[in-house]
Amino acid sequence: MNAAVEALAAEYGDMIRRYAPFQETRLAPNPKNSAKVEVQVQAEGEKVLGRLHGDDFVVALDERGRDVSSEDLAELVAEPPGGAGRIVFLIGGPHGHSAKVRQRAHERGAVVRLSKMVLNHQIARLVALEQIYRGWTIIRGEKYHH
């Protein structure tokens, strides 16, 4: 782990908590320690799905997802569709999300991308955290977003 990335992620987490409960959970990639990519992705997906609640609104961050603006993301944060209990943002492992994870997010149209470019996990995490924070500032009409 890069100490600078961890410090910045913690700072964004603290800023998000000013607006709403926030928790970050990270799962180890490749839980079955397999050399086969398909097995890695499937095992990671099962682990992720096992952590979700039935009423969670799942946003899968995926390079093949749809483009959303900061304002679009703010709308999701403000009022997740269908009376969701939690909003859960997922960043996939090195080889992306399993089909079942993508399907769970597709059920509500929430497979989105942070960029057309592929981002490593540390950068994707920071971009996601910054956008969640930005979304809250948009909801509150604060000057951070202009």
Side-chain angles (χ1 to χ4, degrees):
M1 294 295 177
N2 180 306
V5 170
E6 291 303 310
L8 191 53
E11 185 176 328
Y12 276 113
D14 289 342
M15 292 188 300
I16 293 166
R17 282 184 200 91
R18 293 180 201 159
Y19 303 100
F22 173 79
Q23 177 183 343
E24 195 174 11
T25 302
R26 289 184 277 174
L27 304 175
N30 196 8
K32 291 192 175 180
N33 200 26
S34 175
K36 295 182 180 179
V37 170
E38 307 82 36
V39 173
Q40 290 177 32
V41 171
Q42 184 70 22
E44 290 167 5
E46 289 170 10
K47 217 170 177 185
V48 166
L49 291 170
R51 296 280 185 108
L52 297 175
H53 302 157
D55 62 345
D56 287 342
F57 181 75
V58 176
V59 179
L61 302 175
D62 188 298
E63 68 195 52
R64 296 162 297 215
R66 67 182 173 95
D67 290 319
V68 296
S69 68
S70 296
E71 292 84 359
D72 294 335
L73 190 72
E75 287 180 26
L76 283 178
V77 169
E79 290 204 32
R86 303 183 301 176
I87 302 173
V88 179
F89 291 87
L90 302 175
I91 298 173
H95 303 289
H97 295 292
S98 72
K100 288 183 180 181
V101 169
R102 282 194 311 276
Q103 179 58 39
R104 173 72 192 270
H106 271 299
E107 290 171 5
R108 295 186 175 174
V111 178
V112 302
R113 66 177 168 194
L114 296 173
S115 171
K116 287 184 180 183
M117 296 180 281
V118 175
L119 305 174
N120 77 28
H121 293 85
Q122 290 182 343
I123 300 302
R125 177 179 169 214
L126 291 177
V127 170
L129 289 170
E130 191 278 338
Q131 286 298 302
I132 294 166
Y133 171 69
R134 181 178 296 274
W136 278 109
T137 65
I138 291 169
I139 292 164
R140 299 287 177 98
E142 297 175 1
K143 292 182 182 184
Y144 182 79
H145 180 73
H146 50 84

